[in-house]
C-alpha cells in the first residue's frame, strides 16, 4: 500500500521525515521502488539480514542509492548465537538426481549458458539477466527442488530422528511434494500437517495453533520464510531451497530464535538435503555447477554450527568426490579447514 499514490500524496516529504523500512530488500523491485522515487526524507534506515537482492544488481543499486551503505560494525550470526539465538547442529544429507533429471539439467544448462553470454552488464560488470533467462533458471531450479529421491530421503530422516513432542518445520517446494511426503510418512504411521498460501486463512491459523500447542511435523512452502514468529520450533528439515541467500538465511533464523516460553530450548537442529551427482558425472561441468551451488549454501550453514567438525568433514568428502576444488567455492575448503583448526 505504501507505493500507491493515495498513500504517497498524503505524506509531507522533507528533512523532518524519517523513513524506516523493515525487510528492505523488498524495496528494490521495479514496483516497490516507486516509493523511493517519490519519497523525500531526512534520516533513512533500512533493515535486513540480506539487503543485496539475489541476481538483481539494479534492484540492489536502488536500495543502496536511497539508504546508503551498510552500517558498521556488522552484527553477524556468530555474534547473536548464545544471546538472541540458540546454538545449532547441522546435518547435511546427500541426495542424488536420477538419470532423467541429470539429462534434463544438462539440456537446460546448455541453453542458460548461451543466454548468460548474451546478457547486458551494468557499470560494475554484473550480469543483468533477461526475463527469458530468469524463466529458464526457474525451470532448471525446479529439477533440483523437486528431485524424485527427496521424498524417500525425507521419510528416512524423519523416521530416524523425529520424536513425539518435537516441533519440526519441513520446507518443501510445491503442494505436490508436500502431499507425496505426507503420504510417504503416513505409510509409516507418522502424521504431519500442511501450511501453504493456497489454504484459507482460518485453516492456516488452525494449523499454526495446533503446531504451537502440540508440536509435530509441519510441511510448508515459502510462506513461513518471513513474517511469522514461532520461536518454539526446535528442528528444521530443508527439502527444497532456492540458491537465493536471503531464503536460507531467513529459514535458519526461523529455527534459531530463543523461546521466551521455553527456557529449555538450548539448541536447534537443522537437516539439509543437498543434491550431488554420481562419480560418472563429475567430469561434466554443467552438472558440477549444481554441486557447487548446493555446497555454497551448506558451507554457510556449517561454518557456525556446533557440530562444525562433523558437518564440515562431510561437506569436504562430498566436494572431493565431485572433483570440486577450492577455487570453485566462494568459501574454499581451505577456509573450512582453517576454521576447524581455530575451533579445536
Amino acid at each position: 500500500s505504501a507505493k500507491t499514490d493515495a498513500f504517497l500524496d498524503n505524506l509531507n516529504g522533507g528533512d523532518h521525515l524519517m523513513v524506516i523500512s523493515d525487510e528492505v530488500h523488498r524495496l528494490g523491485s521495479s514496483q516497490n521502488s516507486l516509493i523511493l522515487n517519490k519519497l523525500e526524507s531526512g534520516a533513512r534506515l533500512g533493515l535486513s539480514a540480506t539487503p543485496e537482492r539475489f541476481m538483481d544488481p539494479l534492484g540492489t543499486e536502488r536500495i543502496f542509492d536511497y539508504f546508503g551503505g551498510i552500517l558498521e560494525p556488522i552484527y553477524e550470526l556468530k555474534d547473536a548465537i548464545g544471546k538472541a539465538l540458540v546454538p545449532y547442529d547441522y546435518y547435511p544429507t546427500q541426495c542424488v538426481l536420477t538419470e532423467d533429471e541429470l539429462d534434463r539439467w544438462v539440456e537446460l544448462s546448455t541453453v542458460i549458458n548461451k543466454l548468460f553470454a548474451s546478457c547486458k552488464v551494468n557499470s560494475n560488470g554484473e550480469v543483468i539477466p533477461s526475463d527469458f533467462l530468469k524463466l529458464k533458471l526457474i525451470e532448471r531450479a525446479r529439477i533440483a527442488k523437486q528431485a524424485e529421491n527427496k521424498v524417500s530421503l525425507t521419510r528416512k530422516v524423519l523416521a530416524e530422528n523425529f520424536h513425539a513432542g518435537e516441533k519440526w518445520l519441513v520446507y518443501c517446494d510445491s503442494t505436490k511434494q508436500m502431499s507425496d511426503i505426507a503420504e510417504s510418512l503416513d505409510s509409516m504411521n507418522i502424521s504431519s500437517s500442511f501450511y501453504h498460501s493456497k489454504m484459507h486463512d482460518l485453516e492456516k491459523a488452525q494449523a499454526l495453533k495446533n503446531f504451537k500447542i502440540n508440536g509435530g511435523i509441519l510441511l510448508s512452502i515459502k510462506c513461513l520464510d518471513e513474517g511469522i514468529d514461532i520461536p518454539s520450533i526446535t528442528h528444521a528439515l530443508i527439502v527444497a531451497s532456492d540458491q537465493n541467500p536471503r531464503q536460507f538465511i531467513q529459514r535458519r533464523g526461523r529455527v534459531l530464535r530463543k523461546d521466551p516460553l521455553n527456557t529449555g530450548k538450548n539448541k536447534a537442529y537443522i537437516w539439509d538435503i543437498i543434491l550431488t551427482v554420481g562419480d560418472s558425472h563429475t567430469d561434466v561441468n554443467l552438472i558440477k555447477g549444481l554441486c557447487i551451488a548446493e555446497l555454497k549454501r551448506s558451507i554457510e550453514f556449517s561454518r557456525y554450527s556446533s557440530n562444525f567438525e562433523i558437518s564440515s568433514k562431510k561437506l569436504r568428502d562430498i566436494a572431493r568426490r565431485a572433483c570440486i576444488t577450492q577455487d570453485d567455492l566462494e568459501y574454499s575448503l581451505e577456509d573450512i579447514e582453517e576454521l576447524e583448526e581455530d575451533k579445536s
Side-chain angles (χ1 to χ4, degrees):
S1 60
K3 67 189 175 189
T4 63
D5 290 337
F7 179 87
L8 293 170
D9 289 346
N10 280 291
L11 285 177
N12 182 17
D15 290 342
H16 64 283
L17 185 66
M18 179 178 185
V19 174
I20 301 175
S21 172
D22 193 18
E23 307 293 1
V24 73
H25 47 266
R26 296 179 180 177
L27 275 181
S29 71
S30 56
Q31 288 298 312
N32 289 340
S33 62
L34 295 175
I35 301 171
L36 309 182
N37 298 335
K38 298 181 179 180
L39 190 53
E40 293 291 333
S41 72
R44 300 169 179 178
L45 179 64
L47 306 173
S48 177
T50 53
E52 294 88 358
R53 289 174 59 84
F54 183 62
M55 290 196 67
D56 184 11
L58 293 178
T60 299
E61 188 176 347
R62 294 184 192 112
I63 293 169
F64 281 81
D65 282 349
Y66 187 84
F67 288 95
I70 295 175
L71 296 177
E72 300 285 349
I74 296 175
Y75 191 73
E76 299 186 52
L77 181 71
K78 63 183 179 181
D79 302 315
I81 289 177
K83 299 172 185 174
L85 305 175
V86 298
Y88 67 98
D89 283 348
Y90 177 62
Y91 301 98
T93 305
Q94 187 174 355
C95 180
V96 179
L97 291 176
T98 65
E99 291 296 323
D100 287 344
E101 289 167 342
L102 285 168
D103 290 343
R104 183 60 179 151
W105 183 275
V106 171
E107 179 185 335
L108 282 169
S109 295
T110 302
V111 174
I112 286 168
N113 284 350
K114 291 179 181 178
L115 292 171
F116 257 116
S118 62
C119 283
K120 297 179 181 179
V121 297
N122 64 10
S123 57
N124 296 322
E126 297 169 313
V127 172
I128 302 173
S130 65
D131 289 340
F132 187 58
L133 172 58
K134 290 178 181 178
L135 287 174
K136 288 298 175 184
L137 287 168
I138 291 170
E139 185 179 349
R140 186 179 67 172
R142 285 199 187 104
I143 298 172
K145 293 177 184 178
Q146 300 176 12
E148 180 181 330
N149 290 329
K150 285 187 172 183
V151 174
S152 59
L153 189 54
T154 298
R155 180 182 62 188
K156 183 176 185 294
V157 169
L158 291 170
E160 293 177 354
N161 297 284
F162 171 71
H163 298 94
E166 294 174 343
K167 295 181 179 178
W168 282 67
L169 185 56
V170 180
Y171 286 103
C172 305
D173 181 63
S174 65
T175 53
K176 182 183 184 305
Q177 188 178 64
M178 292 170 65
S179 297
D180 290 344
I181 291 172
E183 184 178 338
S184 182
L185 292 174
D186 283 342
S187 69
M188 300 185 68
N189 294 319
I190 301 174
S191 61
S192 60
S193 56
F194 293 166
Y195 187 96
H196 56 83
S197 60
K198 293 180 181 178
M199 295 168 61
H200 294 299
D201 289 344
L202 188 59
E203 289 179 304
K204 289 192 289 186
Q206 189 61 48
L208 285 183
K209 181 180 179 181
N210 290 339
F211 182 64
K212 290 177 181 178
I213 295 172
N214 302 313
I217 298 170
L218 184 62
L219 307 176
S220 176
I221 310 181
K222 292 183 178 180
C223 48
L224 287 179
D225 287 358
E226 295 180 0
I228 295 178
D229 188 25
I230 313 176
S232 57
I233 296 171
T234 51
H235 297 69
L237 170 54
I238 301 173
V239 178
S241 177
D242 289 343
Q243 298 306 330
N244 185 342
R246 179 171 71 246
Q247 185 186 80
F248 61 74
I249 287 172
Q250 293 277 5
R251 289 179 171 183
R252 177 175 56 186
R254 182 75 53 215
V255 73
L256 299 189
R257 295 180 182 182
K258 285 190 172 182
D259 184 1
L261 301 179
N262 178 15
T263 55
K265 182 184 175 181
N266 299 315
K267 181 176 278 192
Y269 305 87
I270 301 174
W271 271 260
D272 187 8
I273 296 180
I274 61 173
L275 285 166
T276 61
V277 293
D279 295 340
S280 61
H281 296 280
T282 54
D283 58 335
V284 182
N285 287 331
L286 293 176
I287 299 174
K288 194 166 115 176
L290 170 61
C291 298
I292 292 171
E294 293 279 290
L295 281 169
K296 282 184 179 181
R297 179 186 80 243
S298 296
I299 290 170
E300 171 63 24
F301 271 58
S302 173
R303 65 194 290 116
Y304 296 124
S305 63
S306 299
N307 64 335
F308 175 82
E309 289 78 9
I310 296 171
S311 60
S312 62
K313 180 181 184 303
K314 186 164 187 178
L315 294 177
R316 287 200 304 273
D317 291 343
I318 291 172
R320 286 164 182 157
R321 284 197 300 271
C323 299
I324 293 173
T325 66
Q326 296 178 7
D327 292 337
D328 292 325
L329 298 167
E330 181 180 356
Y331 301 111
S332 70
L333 299 177
E334 184 179 49
D335 291 335
I336 297 178
E337 288 161 356
E338 287 175 357
L339 279 170
E340 191 171 52
E341 290 173 3
D342 290 343
K343 287 194 172 187
S344 60

